[in-house]
Each structure stands twice: as C-alpha cells, then as structure tokens.
C-alpha cells in the first residue's frame, strides 16, 4: 500500500521543554490506517525506557484486509534518544526499513561531539552538519506531543531526513472533540505545513492520554490522503 510508506515519518520537530523526563510515560498504542474510507492497514507504536535517561520510540505497520492480498509492505521505524536533566531530547540513532514494492532503508547516527549526523538513505551516505536540537523524523513526533504539553503554540525546527537537513513549521490551531475506536476525546489540533508545499499534516493530541496522538491526517491539495485513528493504548509498557 503506497500510503503506508508515508505513514510513520511524521515530519515535525519541537525544542524540548524542561520536565519532559518526569512526564514521559512508556506506552504501547495500536492505530487503524484509513484511506478512502477503508481500513487499509494497522500501525503499532511503542515507547520504551531503556535506562535512566535512555529511551526508544518504535513502530511497525502493515496492510490488512483486502489490501493485504495485493501488497505485503511492512514498515519498521525506531529512534533511540536520551533526555538530559534539563529535559532536552537528544537524538542518538534512527532506523527505517520499508519492505515490499517500494523497498528502501534509512539510518542516521548523531554525533553531538562534532555536531554532525551520519545519514544513509537508499544506500547513499552523507555527513550533515547539524544545529543544536536537530532530530530524526520519527523522534520529531514525540517531541511534538511533549512540546505541546509544555505549552508550545508554534515553531520552526530542523529535522534530518533523506540525507538532508530540513525545516518544518507547525502551529497549534485549536481544540476539537474527536471520536476514534479508542473512544471520545478533547484533543489539541496541531497543523504542520511547509512554504510552497501542497501537503499538510494534522495531529490531534489528547491531554487525557498524556498528549499521545489520537488521530493523524495527511491532506494534499485540500484532499485527504490518509488518516490514523487510535484503536487502543496501554501505559506502563517497558
């Protein structure tokens, strides 16, 4: 399913807010992937604490139902990061694998001693100078939720992705009542866009669930491309 390859790289980065280490909670969440009104796939996200200040955020997704008869795509993504006493997130290692009709891989190693990222995308290697606070595209989603929890309203931030250093823009635009398979929630709506781009990503973050996204939608030229809807979540997973 071609839409799944755009499912997980939620390309948003926000600066860390003090106190994140205390408020971050391990969890496991399952999402439905919906396109054209049809449940086309499932995605599982998990946040694990590996040590005192070391964490891993990971996900797996694949097609389901009739779609799985025609496509066998599997996407795996993970980000290992640390959290300083100040609450700042520090990206360490990123891995992405997409098997199926559109096979591709990506990996990023962050060297903060020299402020560079060693990035490999589709077999091409590149060393990229990075500013303080730069992140990989997957950890960016987690930084989004924690920054909104800390009171962020808008920002523009650097992300290393596909062997490039890019800048993404986001804005909190309001609160909505959202109903998904996991239940009904009041959620903070955050929009991510890029100047000159016809694509927009919208996140609905639920304060009741520690600002985990209950819904994510991608819009292209005003038309919906896909959406994620939370099916279940369990906190306390190690």
């Amino acid at each position: 399913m071609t839409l799944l390859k755009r499912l997980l790289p939620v390309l948003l980065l926000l600066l860390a807010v003090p106190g994140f280490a205390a408020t971050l909670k391990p969890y496991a969440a399952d999402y439905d992937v919906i396109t054209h009104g049809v449940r086309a796939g499932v995605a599982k996200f998990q946040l694990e604490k590996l040590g005192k200040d070391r964490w891993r955020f990971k996900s797996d997704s694949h097609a389901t139902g009739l779609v799985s008869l025609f496509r066998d795509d599997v996407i795996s993504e993970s980000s290992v990061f640390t959290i300083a006493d100040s609450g700042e997130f520090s990206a360490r290692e990123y891995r992405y694998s997409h098997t199926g009709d559109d096979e591709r891989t990506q990996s990023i190693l962050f060297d903060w001693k020299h402020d560079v990222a060693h990035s490999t995308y589709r077999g091409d290697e590149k060393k990229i100078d990075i500013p303080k606070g730069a992140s990989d595209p997957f950890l960016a989603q987690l930084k989004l939720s924690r920054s909104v929890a800390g009171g962020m309203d808008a920002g523009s931030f650097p992300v290393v992705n596909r062997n490039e250093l890019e800048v993404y823009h986001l804005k909190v635009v309001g609160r909505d009542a959202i109903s998904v398979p996991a239940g009904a929630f009041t959620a903070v709506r955050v929009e991510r866009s890029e100047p000159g781009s016809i694509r927009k990503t919208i996140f609905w973050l639920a304060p009741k669930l520690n600002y985990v996204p209950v819904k994510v939608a991608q819009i292209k030229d005003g038309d919906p491309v896909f959406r994620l809807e939370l099916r279940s979540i369990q906190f306390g997973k190690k």
Side-chain angles (χ1 to χ4, degrees), residues 58-84:
K58 65 180 183 178
S59 67
D60 295 283
S61 66
H62 58 83
T64 59
L66 291 176
V67 175
S68 66
L69 299 178
F70 304 97
R71 301 190 65 91
D72 59 356
D73 294 45
V74 176
I75 298 175
S76 297
E77 193 165 17
S78 68
S79 179
V80 174
F81 63 100
T82 57
I83 304 179

Side-chain angles (χ1 to χ4, degrees), residues 189-229:
R189 177 158 49 101
V190 185
E191 295 186 359
R192 189 226 97 191
S193 61
E194 300 173 50
S197 174
I198 61 175
R199 194 180 302 277
K200 178 188 295 185
T201 306
I202 305 172
F203 301 83
W204 285 268
L205 310 176
K208 183 179 178 180
L209 298 180
N210 203 32
Y211 289 85
V212 170
V214 294
K215 183 177 178 179
V216 180
Q218 190 173 91
I219 310 297
K220 182 179 180 181
D221 201 20
D223 296 321
V225 177
F226 75 85
R227 70 179 186 271
L228 299 180
E229 292 186 352

Side-chain angles (χ1 to χ4, degrees), residues 7-39:
L7 167 64
L8 299 180
V10 184
L11 305 178
L12 282 168
L13 175 70
L14 298 172
L15 297 178
V17 173
F20 280 2
T23 59
L24 206 58
K25 299 178 181 179
Y27 72 87
D30 293 309
Y31 292 83
D32 290 335
V33 183
I34 300 170
T35 177
H36 304 298
V38 177
R39 182 174 181 261

